[in-house]
Amino acid sequence: MSKFAKEFREFISRGNVMDLAVGMIIGSAFTAIVNSLVNDILMPVIGLIIGKVDFSSLAIKVGDASINYGLFIQNIIDFLLIALVIFLMVKGINKLHHKKEEEPAAPAEPSEEVKLLTEIRDSLKKD
């Protein structure tokens, strides 16, 4: 086996590359879920609220070219909705995983040495 092939095999078998591959697969599946939530649930509701305005058909003709600025506006709206959904999901997940802050422990009972030293100090103050 060549040195290049050996180095490549070591690179691929590292945990970071495998973690990245798993993350990409899960990310693409998660993207499908978020896109479906936005396109199939949120956008129809928003369409009802704003009167079924469809920006995607807005365009300007310049000669033979068509500048589809409506698609750009629609993509911005989609992006903002997807970002909002992801933000809310991450916030919800963080809230579930957020551990309650530990209450401060009650002060421990002083040791016998501390008690004895306190008594000696107090008796020296009296004199």
Side-chain angles (χ1 to χ4, degrees):
M1 184 182 304
S2 72
K3 182 178 178 183
F4 176 78
K6 183 178 178 183
E7 289 175 349
F8 183 71
R9 184 174 47 96
E10 288 175 7
F11 171 75
I12 292 297
S13 64
R14 284 188 195 152
N16 295 349
V17 174
M18 298 308 270
D19 292 344
L20 179 62
V22 170
M24 293 294 291
I25 293 167
I26 290 174
S28 66
F30 185 70
T31 299
I33 291 170
V34 171
N35 284 335
S36 177
L37 175 65
V38 169
N39 294 328
D40 301 330
I41 296 173
L42 295 178
M43 286 306 286
V45 172
I46 291 172
L48 288 172
I49 293 170
I50 63 173
K52 296 186 180 185
V53 175
D54 183 17
F55 295 107
S56 60
S57 61
L58 300 176
I60 296 175
K61 284 282 194 180
V62 178
D64 291 337
S66 176
I67 300 173
N68 300 318
Y69 68 93
L71 288 173
F72 180 69
I73 293 170
Q74 190 66 44
N75 286 331
I76 290 173
I77 292 170
D78 289 348
F79 170 77
L80 292 173
L81 287 173
I82 290 169
L84 176 66
V85 168
I86 291 173
F87 169 74
L88 293 174
M89 292 176 92
V90 168
K91 188 174 178 179
I93 290 169
N94 286 342
K95 197 172 203 176
L96 289 175
H97 291 301
H98 182 66
K99 296 180 181 177
K100 293 182 180 178
E101 293 182 16
E102 294 182 24
E103 295 179 16
E109 184 69 27
S111 65
E112 290 299 319
E113 292 85 12
V114 172
K115 287 180 183 178
L116 181 61
L117 288 171
T118 304
E119 288 176 16
I120 293 171
R121 182 196 66 200
D122 292 344
S123 68
L124 287 173
K125 282 184 180 179
K126 290 180 184 178
D127 294 334

